[in-house]
Structures are given as structure tokens and as C-alpha cells.
Amino acid sequence: MRFKSTRDEQLTAGFGEALAQGLAPDGGLYVPTEWPRVQAGSFSARESLAGIGARLLAPFAAGDPLAPSLPEVTAEAFDFPAPVVALGGGGRLAVLELFHGPTAAFKDFGARFLAACLSRLCGPAARPLTILVATSGDTGGAVAAAFHGRPGIEVAVLFPKGLVSPTQERQLTCWGGNVRSFAVRGTFDDCQRLVKQAFLDRQWRQERALSSANSINLGRLLPQAVYYAAASLAVFRCHGERASFIVPSGNLGNAVACIWARRLGLPIADVVLAHNANRTVPEFLESGEWRPRASVATLASAMDVGNPSNMERLRALYPDLGEIRSAVSACTVDDEAIRARIRAGYQELGQIWCPHTATAAEAYARLPAERRDSGRWVLVSTAHPAKFREIVEPLIGRQVPVPESLARLFARPSQCTEIDADLASLRDALRDGRGIGG
Ligand SMILES: *Cc1c(COP(=O)(O)O)cnc(C)c1O
């Protein structure tokens, strides 16, 4: 299949090409040119996540050099579960747990799929590839984990010095080998600016092949449709009803993956976007006016996005405001309500939720009763609460158990290089290191 830019449908690329490029050359985002229909009945109950992934994604990779490797790629990327766990009380509510990967957040799915694809595209003969990621938290950890130890690929993770939580910083600095982290004396915006400047810099592009692995890459979005497929099929098999998902949202990558899965014919009913105090999307659905703005800092920090880039993909799918409004609804949840919901989740249901998951739980609580009662609702749990223990523990009055995968990361020695927020500092630091790129 070909993929077209959201800004120019004449501009197309194949699967592997779109993954390697990240952004289309005109600055648009790649979207599928066709929507193959999936027959829900053709999947058996025994099928693994990796098996569902290989079949669901096969039409997208068809004709591409990567196509024959797809089953191997999904087996490698989806080697941990994404269970749908019912919440007690005989209710119609469940949680989709997406935090069982190496860095305990849903970004592991996309990052691992992309890494498995790019390492096959690179091949031994190609120029070494440098992946530059600016991160304010979760993305950098997932990308670092996914590319760690892969030959021919070097990763540079840039984060704002002193502005990520201690738990997050450890996840960004514990790798070594081909993954190096840089504490930038500046803000997240400075980190992002550095990455963009490096991409535009001719000398950089001559020295090394650059890729970004950021969340607008098609190779991170498509694999996320796989867990929505698996979860909706499991719910449908069990209850004979379509599942409705409440998705904690920032850049809308996770939500667009859910909507794409529905478009492919999977048994998915409503999609509700749960945003924190960054209310650009809920306000757009209400007023019809798109007013991106600077982000504000909240407890659910991985969703602090004021100008969600994947809105462009949603609008490509639904050009008309009325269509978008019937495809999704959205709400905004402030920090006070997030705190209250974390407490209530623990007291009433014995659940320990990260601030992002609590945003979805609050959005559920605010649905009209008849909508709650007539749907099969699934809260999407995007991160393990242990990643946000500084926030969660004081609210529930106990320690959060740390999953084994995270404990392993926390035990590794940490190392990072501090740099000024300019391109020359980054170039010098990359050159002196043990880097393979130059
Ligand atoms: C990235 C992230 C989100 C937001 O996902 P988008 O795809 O950007 O909407 C939500 N929760 C957690 C824990 C995240 O890391």
C-alpha cells in the first residue's frame, strides 16, 4: 500500500519509506490511501497479539520490502501482553492495561515496532543511523529501550535538565552503549528546537543519516491499532457487544490508532478523548475553531500538548466538523479532579492509577448515566503508576509496587552529558563520545 501526506495526496510513499522518513517532505503526516476491511470473525480466540498484528498490518506493508518480515517484526515487538481487565462490581467497565512493556507505558508498542522495522531497513551495508529524540518523559525512555543494543543505530536522547521527574530521568539515563542521553540546559521546547535544527542542517545530514522516531511516525501509530483490535475482539467474543474506549490523550496518536482500528472494521463503538487542562481539542469540538496554544504543565505530564500534531490525521479522515463530532467526543480534566480520581479509584475499586489513566476514569464518571449503562466501556491505561509514584503515593497513602521491568531499569547505573541548548554543543558532545555515527 502507498501512504499519502495529509497536506498533498499526490505525495506518496511506501511503508518502509514512510517509516524511515517520519515526516512527509512537505511537513504533512503520512496516512493510508486505502482502508482494507477486516472480518472480525476471521480471528480466533487463541490468536496472540503478535499474530493479530501480523494479519492486521499485512495489507499496509503489502508490496514493500519489509512485508515478508512482518510476522517476525510483530513477534519481536509485541512480546508482552495487553490484557483487558474487568473492574469488579458486575459492571460494564474494564481497563486495557498497556503498561506491561519494558518501560511500563504504551509507547513501548510503537517504539519497539518502529525499532524492529528500522533495524531491518538499515541492513549491514547502510550508513549508520542516528535517532534524535527530544523528550519530556515517556517517549525518550521507550525509544531508548527499543533501540538499545541494535547494531548500526545510535540514539541521542535530549531532555531538559532538571525538568523531568527523578523516576523519568533514571529511565532516560540508564542505557549506555549505543544510547546516549543529554541533559540540555534549557526547556523541552529547546530540546525540540535542537532536533529540528539538526534535521535542517546540511552538515549534519552529510555526516549522518538522521531519523526522529517521534510520535508522528506512521511506524509508531499503526502498531497501536493492534491492541485496540485485540481488545475489541476479546470484548466482542465475551459479551457480543462492541467496546467503547476512553483514551487519555495528548498528541492524539493513541486515539487516532483506535479510530483507525474502528475504520478497519473492528467492533469498536464510541471513542472518548480524555484530556488534561490542555483543552485545545475539547474546545475545538465545542466551538469548531482550531486554536492551538502553548502547553500548560499538569500532573498528567505526558499529555501536556497545546498543539496536537495528530489532529491533522483526524481531519484527513473526517474533513467535515460534523463528521469529527460524530466520530469522537472529548472532555478536559484539571489537576484537582485528577487527584480526586486517583484517591477514589484506590478507595472504591482498589485500583492504583497513574495520572493519565485517572484522567480517563474521570471522563468515564462524567458520562451521562444512560451512556455509561448502554456501553461496554474500556478505560485505556497508558502507564504504570510506579512511573509517577511521586504523585500517586501521597494521594493513596501507600507505596506503589514497582514492576520487575522498571526495577531492572532503576538498578542500572545512570550516565548523561550536560550540554548547552545549541547545535554546536550537541555536535561536539556526539563527536567525542563512543558514538558510532561520526
Ligand atoms: C504519550 C502518553 C499519553 C498521550 O498519548 P498521545 O498519543 O500523545 O495522545 C498518555 N499517557 C501516557 C502515559 C503517555 O506516555
Side-chain angles (χ1 to χ4, degrees):
M1 184 189 297
R2 304 291 294 174
F3 297 86
K4 61 184 179 190
S5 164
T6 44
R7 298 189 186 172
D8 175 2
E9 60 178 49
Q10 301 305 318
L11 194 59
T12 67
F15 183 74
E17 213 181 341
L19 264 55
Q21 285 177 15
L23 209 61
D26 64 349
L29 310 187
Y30 283 116
V31 294
T33 49
E34 300 158 55
W35 296 98
R37 289 298 284 188
V38 170
Q39 294 305 324
S42 74
F43 291 89
S44 87
R46 286 187 316 274
E47 212 143 0
S48 66
L49 198 57
I52 294 173
R55 278 220 276 147
L56 188 74
L57 301 181
F60 295 103
D64 193 81
L66 273 173
S69 316
L70 196 60
E72 215 177 275
V73 164
T74 59
E76 191 180 307
F78 303 137
D79 64 347
F80 53 91
V84 180
V85 178
L87 287 187
R92 304 173 60 82
L93 183 62
V95 175
L96 171 59
E97 295 184 351
L98 299 180
F99 51 69
H100 296 285
T103 70
F106 83 92
K107 292 192 174 73
D108 283 328
F109 288 96
R112 286 168 65 78
F113 181 87
L114 182 63
C117 288
L118 287 185
S119 68
R120 282 165 177 81
L121 283 176
C122 280
R127 269 203 304 171
L129 179 67
T130 302
I131 311 261
L132 283 182
V133 228
T135 186
S136 53
D138 275 350
T139 296
V143 169
F147 285 91
H148 186 234
R150 290 192 181 270
I153 302 182
E154 173 188 45
V155 179
V157 176
L158 279 62
F159 66 94
K161 177 175 182 273
L163 297 181
V164 301
S165 80
T167 306
Q168 281 173 327
E169 179 158 343
R170 270 155 82 186
Q171 256 187 76
L172 299 174
T173 57
C174 70
W175 301 100
N178 66 325
V179 176
R180 302 167 63 202
S181 53
F182 298 95
V184 176
R185 297 184 193 104
T187 61
F188 172 63
D189 292 334
D190 291 320
C191 297
Q192 225 166 7
R193 177 178 49 80
L194 276 181
V195 171
K196 282 188 188 144
Q197 284 175 349
F199 272 84
L200 294 174
D201 189 288
R202 211 187 303 129
Q203 200 184 338
W204 272 74
R205 283 205 314 250
Q206 278 169 1
E207 279 176 19
R208 39 183 100 229
L210 285 182
S211 184
S212 76
N214 69 8
S215 68
I216 47 160
N217 194 309
L218 184 77
R220 287 191 43 192
L221 215 124
L222 270 182
Q224 291 171 182
V226 175
Y227 50 73
Y228 287 110
S232 64
L233 289 168
V235 167
F236 195 73
R237 203 175 294 122
C238 198
H239 304 287
E241 289 173 66
R242 289 181 305 157
S244 292
F245 291 94
I246 307 187
V247 188
S249 292
N251 225 356
L252 296 179
N254 204 3
V256 167
C258 185
I259 291 161
W260 282 7
R262 182 172 65 187
R263 181 61 174 254
L264 292 171
L266 286 147
I268 296 172
D270 293 1
V271 179
V272 177
L273 314 177
H275 287 268
N276 59 23
N278 291 280
R279 54 180 68 220
T280 308
V281 174
E283 276 187 11
F284 166 68
L285 290 178
E286 216 170 281
S287 71
E289 278 172 57
W290 182 244
R291 278 197 235 104
R293 63 204 76 177
S295 63
V296 297
T298 74
L299 292 176
S301 52
M303 318 198 301
D304 291 349
V305 181
N307 185 8
S309 19
N310 281 300
M311 192 65 197
E312 207 166 313
R313 284 193 165 112
L314 203 55
R315 293 172 108 170
L317 197 57
Y318 306 112
D320 181 71
L321 179 65
E323 283 179 290
I324 296 194
R325 281 179 173 150
S326 51
V328 293
S329 59
C331 80
T332 159
V333 177
D334 65 18
D335 277 358
E336 205 43 55
I338 291 176
R339 280 196 198 92
R341 186 50 57 188
I342 291 175
R343 279 195 209 99
Y346 185 60
Q347 282 161 10
E348 292 163 18
L349 298 166
Q351 292 281 306
I352 307 181
W353 285 325
C354 85
H356 313 82
T357 308
T359 307
E362 175 65 13
Y364 171 75
R366 290 184 192 174
L367 289 175
E370 80 271 12
R371 233 180 126 191
R372 272 204 311 262
D373 295 343
S374 63
R376 271 281 155 203
W377 291 93
V378 181
L379 307 179
V380 177
S381 182
T382 47
H384 192 284
K387 293 190 82 167
F388 299 91
R389 54 189 175 180
E390 293 92 348
I391 296 167
V392 175
E393 287 178 351
L395 292 170
I396 62 169
R398 57 163 281 192
Q399 286 199 326
V400 178
V402 177
E404 206 182 307
S405 56
L406 278 187
R408 264 201 303 271
L409 293 193
F410 293 163
R412 297 171 66 101
S414 108
Q415 44 184 305
C416 82
T417 309
E418 207 175 299
I419 60 166
D420 283 328
D422 59 64
L423 207 54
S425 304
L426 177 60
R427 179 186 282 125
D428 290 346
L430 269 177
R431 274 198 190 128
D432 342 302
R434 302 141 285 118
I436 52 171

